[in-house]
Amino acid sequence: MSTGTDPLAPLAQLPGVPDAVAEVRKAVDRLYGHRVMRRRAAEVTSESALRGARASAAVAGADWPLEEVRRRTDFGLDTEARTVGAALRMAAEAGQLLSVWRHSPLQVLARLHLLAVGDADPAAGRPRRAGERAEELFPLELEPVESVEVEAGTGPLPVLPPAPDAEEVTARLDQLSRLLVARAEGHGVGTPALVVAAVVHGELLALRPFGTHNGLIARAAQRIVLIAEGLDPKSICPAEVGLAELGTGTYRRALAGYLAGTPEGMAAWIAHCGRALRLGVRESTAVCEAMQRGMA
C-alpha cells in the first residue's frame, strides 16, 4: 500500500488540517529541544503521565487537584477515586504496550480496559456483547464553554448518537486494527501522526467498545499512537491536559463533528486534537522550565 492509497490520507488535506499538523510539529520539536530533555527526559515523561492521567480523569468527571492525585495511594474508595486510579494505571503502562500495539491494537485495548476495571470484573478486557450498553462518555453536568475557539459553533451542547451495536463495533474495531497494523508494517506512513491519533481517538469514542471507561481508553490509545507514530516517542506531550483545559463542552462539540463524518466536522475534530496537544506541550514546557530553575 502506498501513501496515496492510505484511507486516512485525504483527511490530512482537509482545510485547516495541514496548518494544525505543522503547528503541532513545531511545538513538539521545540519541547524536545529543551535543554532539560538532555538529562531529565525520564522525569518529564513521568510527570507527563501523571498530569495526563489526572486530566483524563477530570474529563471523565473526577476532577482532582494534581497534588491530591500525587499524594493519594488508595483509589478504590468511590467512583471518582476509581476513575482516577484507572487513568493512572493506564498512563503508567501505556509506554510498555507499544510493541504489542504494533501487531495487535485490539489486545492493547483489552489490556487497557482490564487495567481500568480490574480482573474481578467478568467483563474485563472484552468488548460489549449483544444487548450490553456503554456508559455515557461525559458527565451529565457539563461546564459552560468559556473563552475557547470552537469551529463547531456555540449554543446548546449536541446530543451524541447512541453507541453502535456489538456487531458493528466488532467490524469497525477489526477495520481499525488492520489499518494500524498496516501502518506499523510501513504502509500509509505519509499520513501525519496527529491525523492518525485523532482518528483512533475519535473512532474509539464513537464505538464505545466496552461497557465502561471508554473515554479513558480512547485518550490512552491516542497517547500510544503518538508514541508509535514517532511524533512523541518519549511520551512527554499530555494531550489530555489540553482536552481538559479546552473544556468538556468543547470536546463534546468537536466529537459531534467527527461523528457527523462531514469534511468540516472531521477537520474540526483533528484541529481540536491538535490544539489539545499543543496545550499539553505547553504544560510539559512549564515542567521543564521549573526543573531548570531547580523548583522540581
Side-chain angles (χ1 to χ4, degrees), residues 84-207:
V84 174
L88 286 169
R89 289 190 294 275
M90 289 186 204
E93 196 162 317
Q96 303 169 35
L97 298 171
L98 186 59
S99 61
V100 180
W101 177 266
R102 290 191 169 114
H103 66 80
S104 182
L106 299 187
Q107 186 177 339
V108 171
L109 296 178
R111 175 60 181 168
L112 291 173
H113 189 248
L114 177 61
L115 287 169
V117 302
D119 54 14
D121 189 323
R126 68 161 177 80
R128 290 184 287 114
R129 293 172 179 165
E132 293 180 342
R133 298 183 59 181
E135 68 179 6
E136 294 294 325
L137 285 173
F138 301 107
L140 294 179
E141 296 296 329
L142 295 178
E143 78 282 6
V145 177
E146 299 178 356
S147 66
V148 291
E149 301 172 7
V150 186
E151 286 84 352
T154 56
L157 289 168
V159 176
L160 301 179
D165 61 29
E167 184 177 358
E168 182 178 346
V169 167
T170 298
R172 286 172 63 176
L173 279 179
D174 182 65
Q175 183 180 29
L176 180 65
S177 177
R178 284 188 280 108
L179 184 151
L180 292 169
V181 170
R183 291 187 62 80
E185 293 174 348
H187 306 300
V189 293
T191 301
L194 172 63
V195 174
V196 181
V199 168
V200 170
H201 183 181
E203 191 67 4
L204 292 175
L205 292 178
L207 296 179

